Amino acid sequence: MNLNSLCYFLLVLTAVGSALLPHPLPTWFVLSSVLTLVIYGADKLAARKAWRRVPESTLLLFGVVGGWPGAILGQQLFRHKTQKQPFRTYFMITVVVNVVVLLAAWRFWP
């Protein structure tokens, strides 16, 4: 199993785990943020060791599905993906999309 497949497998486990707990949405954000932080750290290690990397599309997907707080922390903590301008722009778009969807869901949820 390659690193990218492992990332998606862990994301599915995170979704199942948070769905089974009493407060699924806050749990999802915490778990997906922690998972995203770990993935940023693993990708930084892979970059330093010249190993197979996590694709940027995977990092962006993890941010847009709720892991953006962990991604921001991972970027600062590991100094990873902080200089690559196209990635930073796409990442900020994913954060804005995520926050807008959350606000809309909170506002219009019955």
Side-chain angles (χ1 to χ4, degrees):
M1 179 181 300
N2 66 20
L3 185 57
N4 196 37
S5 298
L6 179 63
C7 292
Y8 286 114
F9 176 70
L10 291 173
L11 187 65
V12 169
L13 286 180
T14 301
V16 170
S18 63
L20 297 175
L21 293 171
H23 303 287
L25 191 59
T27 304
W28 166 255
F29 272 95
V30 169
L31 292 178
S32 64
S33 289
V34 169
L35 179 60
T36 304
L37 174 66
V38 169
I39 290 170
Y40 268 75
D43 191 46
K44 179 64 174 193
L45 178 65
R48 285 186 175 170
K49 300 284 187 178
W51 295 342
R52 192 164 187 81
R53 303 277 307 275
V54 176
E56 287 186 354
S57 59
T58 299
L59 296 174
L60 291 170
L61 178 79
F62 274 66
V64 81
V65 298
W68 60 268
I72 291 172
L73 183 60
Q75 287 173 359
Q76 298 307 310
L77 185 65
F78 303 117
R79 301 302 304 158
H80 190 51
K81 299 292 186 186
T82 57
Q83 299 298 316
K84 195 168 185 185
Q85 189 51 45
F87 180 84
R88 288 179 50 89
T89 301
Y90 296 141
F91 176 72
M92 289 312 298
I93 291 170
T94 66
V95 171
V96 169
V97 165
N98 191 272
V99 170
V100 166
V101 167
L102 278 175
L103 290 174
W106 177 69
R107 171 69 173 97
F108 297 112
W109 200 264

